[in-house]
Amino acid sequence: MNIKITVNPYNNEKAKMLGYATVNFEDKYVLENIKIKDGQHGRYVELPKYSVPKKDDNGKVLVDIYGKTEFERKDIFHPITADMNKEFTEAILTEYKNIVDNGRSNVYSGDKRSTDYTLSGDFNISRTTAGVHEKKNENDNLLGMATMSFGNSFMLDRIKVKESTSEKNAGKEIIELPKYRTTAKDENGKVLADEYEYKDAFHAITTEGYNEMYNAVIDSYHNALAVKQGKGQEQPAADISQDGIPFEDVLEDDYEQSSGRR
């Protein structure tokens, strides 16, 4: 697969931050907000994450000594195998090294620059698994959650299937991709104090790419809904976690043990 990596060095010693990276996959999809950090064992890559409540083996939410819910952080988008994790991480760190060694500014910059890299495997949508959400109230417009695999290379988690609340598309099924929080800026690029905005961490940059994602997710959701209503073929139990969120237990466990994340 062909990717383009853009790196913006950003020196923040307190946060151990070295820079940010954006990766373009096949000129079709983009992953943003990749952090490059300095750890105990050297430079490493931190992918965009989301928080979920910690649960014990029986699915019970864990709380701390003060009775507050404990959370854990998981990658929104990540390589499936150890080999792909190594390829992907090394490409980003190589691009960072090249930018720094070439004497580029060590301050975050918005100028667009990228370098082409080639990774093994392909980046076609190969599998989508959905779960059906149990509505909590009449204002709850979440319908389901989905995960998506790209080849045997990457996985995207936390895709939401929602019922549109806009007048134009009222009742229509829409998808919402996982987001990350960032500081808000005005039209001149000036940071607005104590204001934030949410952006898609992973998203399609072509109509074709978006339609492929949308159709794959909605088809998978309809299949899951048919199973729930007794009208379709049941999927293997391992595809759906206890909280109704699709989850690849085997692949996730393999990644946790082999990725070397800090």
Side-chain angles (χ1 to χ4, degrees):
M1 79 184 72
N2 298 316
I3 65 172
K4 295 178 181 178
I5 301 176
T6 304
V7 165
N8 286 297
Y10 175 73
N11 192 0
N12 186 327
E13 293 184 6
K14 184 177 180 181
K16 301 294 184 181
M17 282 289 300
L18 299 175
Y20 289 89
T22 298
V23 177
N24 174 315
F25 295 86
E26 301 283 4
D27 287 327
K28 209 171 186 181
Y29 305 100
V30 167
L31 176 66
E32 300 182 0
N33 200 44
I34 304 168
K35 297 177 180 178
I36 302 168
K37 291 189 169 184
D38 188 15
Q40 183 178 358
H41 302 291
R43 297 170 182 171
Y44 68 100
V45 171
E46 181 178 290
L47 298 174
K49 298 180 182 296
Y50 64 93
S51 296
V52 292
K54 285 186 178 180
K55 295 183 179 181
D56 61 20
D57 294 338
N58 298 315
K60 182 180 179 181
V61 175
L62 300 176
V63 297
D64 60 22
I65 59 174
Y66 303 104
K68 294 184 178 180
T69 301
E70 294 185 5
F71 289 88
E72 59 182 330
R73 303 273 285 166
K74 294 185 176 182
D75 291 340
I76 289 171
F77 174 95
H78 59 82
I80 291 174
T81 67
D83 287 342
M84 180 52 68
N85 181 68
K86 182 179 179 181
E87 278 190 67
F88 188 59
T89 298
E90 286 183 350
I92 293 172
L93 293 179
T94 296
E95 180 63 10
Y96 172 81
K97 184 176 184 296
N98 290 340
I99 291 291
V100 172
D101 290 348
N102 286 339
R104 302 279 183 90
S105 172
N106 204 31
V107 177
Y108 179 82
S109 172
D111 74 271
K112 301 299 181 183
R113 56 178 180 270
S114 63
T115 302
D116 293 339
Y117 289 84
T118 300
L119 303 182
S120 59
D122 65 78
F123 203 75
N124 296 317
I125 296 174
S126 56
R127 185 182 182 191
T128 306
T129 307
V132 179
H133 171 67
E134 295 289 345
K135 284 184 171 292
K136 297 180 175 62
N137 54 62
E138 61 180 13
N139 295 321
D140 184 359
N141 71 326
L142 181 64
L143 300 175
M145 301 288 293
T147 62
M148 179 175 289
S149 299
F150 296 86
N152 295 315
S153 307
F154 294 91
M155 178 174 288
L156 175 66
D157 292 326
R158 304 295 290 183
I159 306 170
K160 296 180 180 179
V161 181
K162 288 186 168 184
E163 182 179 354
S164 176
T165 57
S166 69
E167 292 184 7
K168 182 179 179 180
N169 297 312
K172 180 182 178 181
E173 294 162 346
I174 59 175
I175 63 172
E176 182 178 290
L177 298 172
K179 302 180 182 295
Y180 67 95
R181 190 178 79 164
T182 185
T183 52
K185 297 180 181 179
D186 63 19
E187 57 186 14
N188 297 316
K190 183 179 179 181
V191 173
L192 300 175
D194 300 323
E195 292 189 29
Y196 298 92
E197 59 182 334
Y198 290 85
K199 296 183 177 181
D200 292 340
F202 180 92
H203 57 91
I205 55 175
T206 66
T207 301
E208 178 189 4
Y210 176 81
N211 288 338
E212 286 180 359
M213 291 186 69
Y214 177 84
N215 292 331
V217 171
I218 296 302
D219 286 349
S220 182
Y221 166 71
H222 284 164
N223 288 337
L225 188 60
V227 169
K228 184 177 180 181
Q229 296 173 343
K231 301 176 182 178
Q233 185 175 358
E234 188 173 0
Q235 299 178 18
D239 286 343
I240 306 297
S241 68
Q242 292 179 340
D243 55 6
I245 298 173
F247 197 72
E248 291 283 356
D249 293 319
V250 176
L251 296 179
E252 185 75 12
D253 287 343
D254 176 67
Y255 175 73
E256 290 287 346
Q257 294 170 10
S258 61
S259 64
R261 290 182 297 173
R262 295 162 176 81

